């Protein structure tokens, strides 16, 4: 079992920045994939960014050049979000995958003036 704890969400004005963090605990394997999904009201869950030790990070087109995903170690992943837009408003979920995928409980990000 793997547990994921997210932090860093909140309310920010358009053009602002937020930094999300996620720490995994439990049965962690170093060759894993971690990343972030988001789900806005009335919309399907969307893969925002993903990173593994053997590939370069990947991003959905709408956040390229604004969001940066990084790994501190095999258990922690962060998402630096800059130039935030109202359409970035969503619940952001951290995930961990090694054969099985696990999800955090989500953290709300609201971009509004």
């Amino acid at each position: 079992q793997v547990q994921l704890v997210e932090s860093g969400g909140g309310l920010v004005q358009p053009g602002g920045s937020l930094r999300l963090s996620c720490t995994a605990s439990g049965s962690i394997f170093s060759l894993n994939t971690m990343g972030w999904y988001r789900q806005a009201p009335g919309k399907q869950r969307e893969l925002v960014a993903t990173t593994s030790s053997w590939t370069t990070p990947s991003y959905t087109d709408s956040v390229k050049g604004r969001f940066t995903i990084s790994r501190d170690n095999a258990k922690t992943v962060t998402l630096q979000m800059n130039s935030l837009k109202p359409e970035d408003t969503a619940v952001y979920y951290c995930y961990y995958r090694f054969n099985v995928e696990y999800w955090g409980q989500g953290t709300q990000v609201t971009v509004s003036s």
Side-chain angles (χ1 to χ4, degrees):
Q1 286 285 345
V2 173
Q3 296 79 42
L4 300 168
V5 177
E6 301 126 329
S7 63
L11 172 65
V12 64
Q13 292 187 342
S17 298
L18 283 175
R19 183 179 176 88
L20 304 182
S21 294
C22 174
T23 300
S25 61
S27 300
I28 304 300
F29 293 89
S30 59
L31 297 180
N32 61 57
T33 298
M34 294 185 73
W36 296 88
Y37 283 87
R38 68 185 179 186
Q39 188 165 20
K43 294 188 177 181
Q44 289 188 330
R45 192 168 291 189
E46 172 187 35
L47 179 61
V48 177
T50 185
T51 181
S52 305
S53 59
W54 60 91
T55 65
T56 57
S58 62
Y59 303 89
T60 190
D61 286 345
S62 62
V63 308
K64 286 180 180 177
R66 301 188 297 121
F67 290 11
T68 303
I69 189 170
S70 60
R71 300 283 297 266
D72 294 335
N73 49 51
K75 298 182 179 182
T76 304
V77 63
T78 61
L79 185 68
Q80 178 66 42
M81 304 185 294
N82 298 327
S83 302
L84 282 161
K85 304 176 181 180
E87 51 263 42
D88 295 318
T89 296
V91 178
Y92 285 70
Y93 298 90
C94 173
Y95 80 92
Y96 165 99
R97 182 170 66 240
F98 184 85
N99 294 330
V100 179
E101 192 162 286
Y102 297 88
W103 296 74
Q105 292 195 345
T107 184
Q108 177 70 46
V109 171
T110 302
V111 185
S112 175
S113 56

